[in-house]
Amino acid sequence: MKLNLLLTGNELMAGDIIDSNSAMVAQQLAPQGWRIHKKVTVGDDSALLQKEIDQLCEEGDVLIINGGLGPTVDDLTAAVLAQLCDRPLTEHPEALAHLSHWCEQRGFSMNASNRKQAILPEGCDIIANARGSAVGIRLMYRNCLVLATPGVPSELRQMLTDELLPLLKQRFESDHIHTLRLGVFGLGESGIQELFDRELPNWPDNIELGFRASMPVLEVKLTARGEHANTTLAEWRTPVETLLGEHLLGELPLSLPSVLVDELSKRNQTLCTAESCTGGLIASQITSIAGASKVFPGGIVSYSNAMKSSQLGVSEALLQQHGAVSRDVALAMAQGALRVGHADVALAVTGIAGPDGGSEDKPVGTVWIAWGSEDHLKAECLVLPFDRQAFQMWVSALGMELVRRHLLGIATMPSLIQRYCKKAH
């Protein structure tokens, strides 16, 4: 099945809203073995809409149009489809009944603008919308199945599940496109590509290798086609996981916090954090994961020296002698977190997020990270060349990764950090 997607709306073209609907459609299609062939986004322009719909229908078996079915003058989808199919616009009785029921449930009086949503191309079928006032449109044009849907994400999601996917499964066989997504931390795209080229020179032609760089987890994507796609992916999964080694987090969807919570749970261990420069970001990310309460008793945000002393027991003499951003203070913070949280493992961070506050010895971006258990605490100093927000995010990510590696018994630092972060002296 060759499925095209057309998104319409001036708000999309102006950047007033971010397109999340195309990702939603692609994600819902993927488990069925389908993918979007082509995606086009246009503004509220009748001539341009006609041109793109005509071209996409000529090229494809299915066209999903998202947007332009609302009550206002800039909602053009129904009128454009009527013009293309050479059909008059007429009041659709089922669409009107749906609209009347929708208004009654909410205590609204239907006005002329509302009623516009029931004016559809003559003879078209409607697509039920369990959430919104505007029904969808289903018709054939140029031997292509056209499915027009409202642009509201929650309405589209419901319509995909209830109406569109069941309809497509009735009419089309799966294309048997299957994808394995693996999350990696500490390696860049070029580094992974070099690994594949060097260590897996006989990479099969029927598995497409792709990457998606994101912060901080990078996605390695393996896509296979055909009736034996799942078998092919299963055969190559072990060699790929072996290749990625200590950098592999697991199969997506996942995140560093979810992986860390899972590893702590497996070992029945607890983690307590002591944060200065990240201001509680690490604790916030950990507690966003369901089940974190079993492994995370809490964390201390000790932004000031006074808080480091009163909450974590860091001595004032230590702070005066070495400064807040130092190995000794980071280790003392970690020891305090172990004690206060009665935890098995601690993670402490203290640094200079900037843009001010740096010095020649401790430039902006300097951070000390201490992690480990009571009998095996380690500390590392890095200078991260990022702005304040990125600095905090990377410190949080690196800290969680170091704890993960501690739990797994991996002694080395992530390769990406070694490459791009300069150690302080």
Side-chain angles (χ1 to χ4, degrees), residues 354-367:
D356 304 314
S359 65
E360 185 176 348
D361 291 338
K362 299 176 183 179
V364 169
T366 301
V367 61

Side-chain angles (χ1 to χ4, degrees), residues 361-382:
D361 291 338
K362 299 176 183 179
V364 169
T366 301
V367 61
W368 275 97
I369 304 176
W371 73 100
S373 52
E374 188 172 2
D375 60 348
H376 193 200
L377 276 179
K378 293 176 284 187
E380 188 73 39
C381 183
L382 303 166

Side-chain angles (χ1 to χ4, degrees), residues 146-158:
V146 178
L147 305 171
T149 62
V152 180
S154 61
E155 296 178 25
L156 173 62
R157 183 179 294 106
Q158 191 79 46

Side-chain angles (χ1 to χ4, degrees), residues 205-222:
D205 293 334
N206 59 345
I207 298 184
E208 174 187 313
L209 178 62
F211 307 97
R212 183 175 68 87
S214 59
M215 182 176 177
V217 177
L218 184 144
E219 177 182 325
V220 177
K221 183 168 62 175
L222 313 179

Side-chain angles (χ1 to χ4, degrees), residues 49 120 132 166-167 272 277 296 329 335 401 417:
L49 277 168
L120 306 177
L167 174 64
C272 187
C277 57
F296 186 71
V329 169
Q335 290 164 349
E401 170 65 0
I417 299 302

Side-chain angles (χ1 to χ4, degrees), residues 82-412:
Q83 289 176 322
L84 281 171
C85 298
D86 195 23
R87 301 183 187 184
L89 283 168
T90 185
E91 195 167 74
H92 195 294
E94 291 179 63
L96 183 61
H98 167 83
L99 185 57
S100 299
H101 180 66
W102 186 88
C103 289
E104 287 172 7
Q105 282 187 315
R106 290 156 180 80
F108 296 163
S109 297
M110 188 188 306
N111 56 34
S113 294
N114 292 137
R115 205 175 183 105
K116 174 180 179 289
Q117 295 171 105
I119 308 297
L120 306 177
E122 187 177 67
C124 74
D125 295 313
I126 67 167
I127 304 170
N129 181 355
R131 288 181 173 269
S133 58
V135 298
I137 299 171
R138 186 182 78 187
L139 52 75
M140 295 295 298
Y141 176 67
R142 286 188 173 273
N143 204 34
C144 176
L145 175 63
V146 178
L147 305 171
T149 62
V152 180
S154 61
E155 296 178 25
L156 173 62
R157 183 179 294 106
Q158 191 79 46
M159 293 173 79
L160 280 166
T161 301
D162 295 349
E163 306 293 334
L164 271 63
L165 287 176
L167 174 64
L168 293 175
K169 285 191 280 188
Q170 285 178 1
R171 300 187 61 152
F172 298 94
E173 296 290 332
S174 172
D175 291 332
H176 300 289
I177 302 173
H178 296 281
T179 300
L180 172 64
R181 291 179 168 87
L182 299 174
V184 175
F185 182 85
L187 286 175
E189 292 176 85
S190 61
I192 297 175
Q193 185 66 69
E194 288 179 7
L195 277 176
F196 273 84
D197 293 343
R198 184 176 67 248
E199 304 296 335
L200 298 175
N202 298 319
W203 186 254
D205 293 334
N206 59 345
I207 298 184
E208 174 187 313
L209 178 62
F211 307 97
R212 183 175 68 87
S214 59
M215 182 176 177
V217 177
L218 184 144
E219 177 182 325
V220 177
K221 183 168 62 175
L222 313 179
T223 302
R225 301 169 180 265
E227 293 184 11
H228 305 294
N230 276 332
T231 302
T232 303
L233 288 176
E235 290 173 352
W236 280 88
R237 179 170 185 151
T238 298
V240 170
E241 290 183 341
T242 301
L243 180 71
L244 297 173
E246 65 191 40
H247 304 285
L248 176 66
L249 298 178
E251 185 172 352
L252 295 170
L254 52 71
S255 64
L256 273 169
S258 68
V259 171
L260 181 55
V261 168
D262 184 55
E263 293 296 339
L264 288 163
S265 298
K266 288 177 184 177
R267 292 160 178 78
N268 196 29
Q269 293 192 14
T270 57
L271 167 71
C272 187
T273 55
E275 301 181 63
S276 181
C277 57
T278 49
L281 182 59
I282 300 172
S284 175
Q285 292 181 350
I286 291 172
T287 54
S288 71
I289 305 302
S293 59
K294 297 177 183 178
V295 299
F296 186 71
I300 304 295
V301 180
S302 53
Y303 205 58
S304 69
N305 285 355
M307 286 291 288
K308 290 179 178 66
S309 295
S310 64
Q311 299 300 310
L312 295 170
V314 181
S315 73
E316 293 184 12
L318 202 65
L319 288 162
Q320 291 178 4
Q321 181 179 354
H322 299 284
V325 182
S326 63
R327 174 187 179 87
D328 294 86
V329 169
L331 288 170
M333 289 170 64
Q335 290 164 349
L338 288 169
R339 183 179 62 257
V340 172
H342 303 286
D344 301 296
V345 183
L347 170 60
V349 295
T350 177
I352 306 167
D356 304 314
S359 65
E360 185 176 348
D361 291 338
K362 299 176 183 179
V364 169
T366 301
V367 61
W368 275 97
I369 304 176
W371 73 100
S373 52
E374 188 172 2
D375 60 348
H376 193 200
L377 276 179
K378 293 176 284 187
E380 188 73 39
C381 183
L382 303 166
V383 177
L384 306 179
F386 307 122
D387 63 31
R388 186 179 181 87
Q389 285 190 324
F391 169 87
Q392 291 177 322
M393 188 173 293
W394 272 112
V395 170
S396 301
L398 180 55
M400 287 186 284
E401 170 65 0
L402 290 172
V403 174
R404 182 188 77 92
R405 289 174 173 241
H406 167 80
L407 294 170
L408 294 172
I410 301 171
T412 56

